[in-house]
Amino acid sequence: MAAKQTEPVTIISLRKLSQAAPEPQQKETKTFTVEDAVETIGFGRFHIALFLIMGSTGVVEAMEIMLIAVVSPVIRCEWQLENWQVAFVTTMVFFGYMVSSILFGLLADRYGRWKILLLSFLWGAYFSLLTSFSPSYIWFVFLRTMVGCGVSGHAQGLIIKTEFLPTKYRGYMLPLSQVFWLAGSLLIISMASVVIPTIGWRWLIRIASIPGIILIMAFKFIPESARFNVSTGNTQAALDTLESIAKMNRSVMPEGRLVEPILEKRGRFADLLESKYLRTTLQIWIIWLGISFAYYGVILASAELLERDLVCGSKSESEPEVVENMGDAEEGRSPCYCHMFAPSDYRTMIISTLGEIALNPLNILGINFLGRRLSLSITMGCTALFFLLLNICTSSAGLIGFLFMLRALVAANFNTIYIYTAEVYPTPMRALGMGTSGSLCRIGAMVAPFISQVLMSASFLGALCLFSSVCVVCAISAFTLPIETKGRALQQIK
């Protein structure tokens, strides 16, 4: 009987507990972050449009940078320039890039990626058109420097892509953007082979400005980064953007309310040098400087090898024409060597440029399976080796083969370091991290012309050894980077 009396008490107790349990659950509200939304929405039609529009910024940038390589022989003849004057043009373009890159990075972290991208394209297109009317060498240098300032803002297109892509797709879609750089390089070389011999280099510059102007009109289809909007407290704009992407992708949003911390301090240079990121930042700067030095060294060396026949067995179809400076014919003055590119020279440049896509499949596999650090250290080591192989006395076909592989390797290096830099820094300092890296990168690009176009003429082996040594330093720096970003979500807070 005693046992029977205790049963109702136990039942009543359990009922009281069951009635009280749901109360706290009713008060809970689900929340999600931008990262959750991006991963839930997944990859779809919006990302394809994003890839095509933002990727096309690489077409415009490649055309503006490669333009110097194809125009150099023409302006050398027209204005009777010496080696250092030709090299100085490229150096000043990258000087403008270096100065503006940090500024655009600071502004993009404070005022938005989309606004700075639009501003940089308007700036670049305007001064590029003005370049075609340059009355003298000095004006040409100044206006191309202004173009370099504008081109430095194009990196915001990569940041917008990175911030909208789901984690598992970044390692595949970002390297594929190399296709757009390749397209721009091939387009400007092909145009030069037709336009320069017929209507001249000034019309080449005018025609090359058209893609950038068209692309400006396509920017209206791409929204501001949702990650940037939430970092500034503009949560509603970020939510509207994410809902629009979900609708376009025919996907769904996460349940709940979008919540992210508001970051008052954004785009501060001191953040890059905090203890958490100090070593990473310094090593990234070394790598960017070295990769740029090697990349533009290869591009300019290709043109120089063809123009001046510096490698045995690689004679081109046309002989150089010596043009004396009639205004100052004093004995001992160095003549200007005019060597206009022959059709075979343009073909060689096109073939070597195609190398930029040759290793892309292997680069994608390396990035996603070996990781960013190991993949970069391997390709940098191979770049150092192939620079030394250029010293081998070979035929024209052998030279093309070496240049082909070098272009493939330096392009893979750029692919990897672009992805790593965009992934390693958090949202409040991502654009600044890319901007400062791009700025250091241009120091390497500024030095490269004097090695490829001046030192190489005096000491071919010495120039190759210098390029190779820098690549070895970069390989070691890449291997010892403290953070691996493969499979790592983008950081929203520091």
Side-chain angles (χ1 to χ4, degrees):
M1 294 292 292
K4 290 182 180 178
Q5 290 175 352
T6 57
E7 285 180 5
V9 175
T10 305
I11 293 170
I12 291 170
S13 175
L14 288 172
R15 284 179 181 173
K16 287 181 178 178
L17 288 172
S18 63
Q19 289 175 355
E23 290 181 5
Q25 293 179 356
Q26 293 173 358
K27 295 178 181 178
E28 289 181 0
T29 56
K30 292 184 178 180
T31 61
F32 64 90
T33 63
V34 174
E35 182 71 23
D36 297 331
V38 168
E39 297 298 329
T40 302
I41 294 170
F43 186 85
R45 291 189 296 176
F46 168 79
H47 297 93
I48 294 172
L50 176 74
F51 177 73
L52 293 175
I53 296 174
M54 292 294 99
S56 296
T57 60
V59 174
V60 177
E61 184 174 356
M63 291 181 71
E64 293 293 355
I65 298 300
M66 286 294 295
L67 185 69
I68 301 300
V70 295
V71 166
S72 290
V74 189
I75 63 171
R76 184 198 297 270
C77 291
E78 181 167 327
W79 288 318
Q80 299 184 20
L81 306 178
E82 297 183 13
N83 288 346
W84 71 268
Q85 291 174 303
V86 177
F88 188 66
V89 176
T90 308
T91 296
M92 289 306 295
V93 170
F94 291 126
F95 175 76
Y97 197 120
M98 180 189 71
V99 172
S100 296
S101 191
I102 296 177
L103 177 61
F104 280 146
L106 283 166
L107 294 175
D109 275 333
R110 295 186 181 184
Y111 302 108
R113 286 83 161 100
W114 191 91
K115 296 184 185 72
I116 299 304
L117 181 64
L118 178 64
L119 174 63
S120 70
F121 264 81
L122 291 170
W123 180 290
Y126 175 71
F127 282 103
S128 185
L129 282 172
L130 286 183
T131 304
S132 66
F133 299 98
S134 301
S136 65
Y137 169 72
I138 298 298
W139 271 106
F140 183 85
V141 172
F142 170 74
L143 291 171
R144 290 314 293 180
T145 303
M146 293 296 101
V147 173
C149 292
V151 170
S152 67
H154 294 187
Q156 301 309 315
L158 175 74
I159 294 175
I160 292 174
K161 276 191 298 183
T162 303
E163 294 184 337
F164 275 124
L165 280 170
T167 302
K168 68 177 181 179
Y169 289 97
R170 289 202 306 266
Y172 295 95
M173 297 304 295
L174 294 179
L176 284 176
S177 299
Q178 185 65 29
V179 173
F180 294 98
W181 180 277
L182 173 68
S185 300
L186 293 176
L187 184 58
I188 194 66
I189 295 171
S190 302
M191 286 168 53
S193 67
V194 176
V195 175
I196 290 179
T198 53
I199 54 179
W201 64 270
R202 296 178 187 274
W203 275 104
L204 175 65
I205 295 177
R206 291 164 193 157
I207 296 171
S209 302
I210 295 174
I213 296 170
I214 295 173
L215 194 56
I216 289 171
M217 295 184 283
F219 286 162
K220 66 179 181 179
F221 298 106
I222 301 299
E224 178 59 90
S225 166
R227 295 179 191 268
F228 170 79
N229 278 332
V230 295
S231 72
T232 61
N234 196 355
T235 306
Q236 187 57 48
L239 187 61
D240 292 342
T241 296
L242 293 170
E243 288 175 347
S244 175
I245 294 171
K247 183 179 179 180
M248 188 172 178
N249 284 4
R250 296 175 181 174
S251 184
V252 294
M253 288 281 289
E255 295 181 4
R257 184 168 55 92
L258 177 60
V259 175
E260 290 277 8
I262 299 174
L263 305 172
E264 298 293 340
K265 297 178 179 179
R266 304 186 311 276
R268 297 190 310 165
F269 185 79
D271 294 338
L272 296 174
L273 302 178
E274 285 183 351
S275 58
K276 182 179 179 180
Y277 290 103
L278 177 59
R279 181 182 161 192
T280 300
T281 296
L282 294 178
Q283 288 185 233
I284 283 177
W285 286 352
I286 291 171
I287 295 169
W288 271 95
L289 193 153
I291 288 178
S292 178
F293 178 66
Y295 182 83
Y296 293 106
V298 171
I299 290 176
L300 296 171
S302 300
E304 197 70 13
L305 289 171
L306 296 172
E307 187 182 352
R308 291 182 168 273
D309 300 326
L310 293 179
V311 175
C312 58
S314 62
K315 296 292 182 186
S316 63
E317 294 175 4
S318 59
E319 293 298 323
E321 176 188 353
V322 179
V323 179
E324 296 288 350
N325 188 335
M326 301 305 294
D328 187 3
E330 293 180 8
E331 191 174 341
R333 180 175 176 83
S334 298
C336 165
Y337 287 87
C338 283
H339 184 133
M340 306 300 289
F341 282 156
S344 61
D345 296 331
Y346 286 113
R347 286 196 299 270
T348 300
M349 292 182 73
I350 288 173
I351 293 171
S352 65
T353 301
L354 284 170
E356 295 202 6
I357 202 67
L359 291 182
N360 206 258
L362 289 177
N363 186 219
I364 292 173
L365 290 175
I367 286 171
N368 287 283
F369 292 98
L370 298 179
R372 281 58 160 157
R373 294 180 302 181
L374 182 57
S375 177
L376 181 57
S377 63
I378 291 172
T379 53
M380 286 302 309
C382 292
T383 306
L385 174 63
F386 271 89
F387 264 118
L388 294 178
L389 291 178
L390 268 184
N391 191 51
I392 297 176
C393 186
T394 183
S395 63
S396 179
L399 171 64
I400 293 172
F402 286 141
L403 291 175
F404 183 90
M405 281 305 300
L406 266 175
R407 290 292 286 269
L409 288 165
V410 294
N413 296 335
F414 251 130
N415 262 343
T416 310
I417 195 60
Y418 259 115
I419 295 169
Y420 183 85
T421 307
E423 291 178 334
V424 77
Y425 291 116
T427 300
M429 51 195 284
R430 186 171 296 122
L432 179 59
M434 286 293 294
T436 53
S437 298
S439 183
L440 267 292
C441 163
R442 302 312 155 185
I443 294 178
M446 289 166 62
V447 177
F450 290 96
I451 307 302
S452 295
Q453 296 175 315
V454 180
L455 177 60
M456 191 168 280
S457 298
S459 175
F460 188 67
L461 181 59
L464 296 181
C465 287
L466 181 57
F467 281 122
S468 182
S469 300
V470 170
C471 290
V472 170
V473 172
C474 290
I476 296 170
S477 185
F479 187 75
T480 57
L481 280 167
I483 302 172
E484 174 58 71
T485 62
K486 181 173 77 76
R488 177 174 176 258
L490 292 183
Q491 306 299 297
Q492 185 67 18
I493 58 176
K494 294 180 280 185

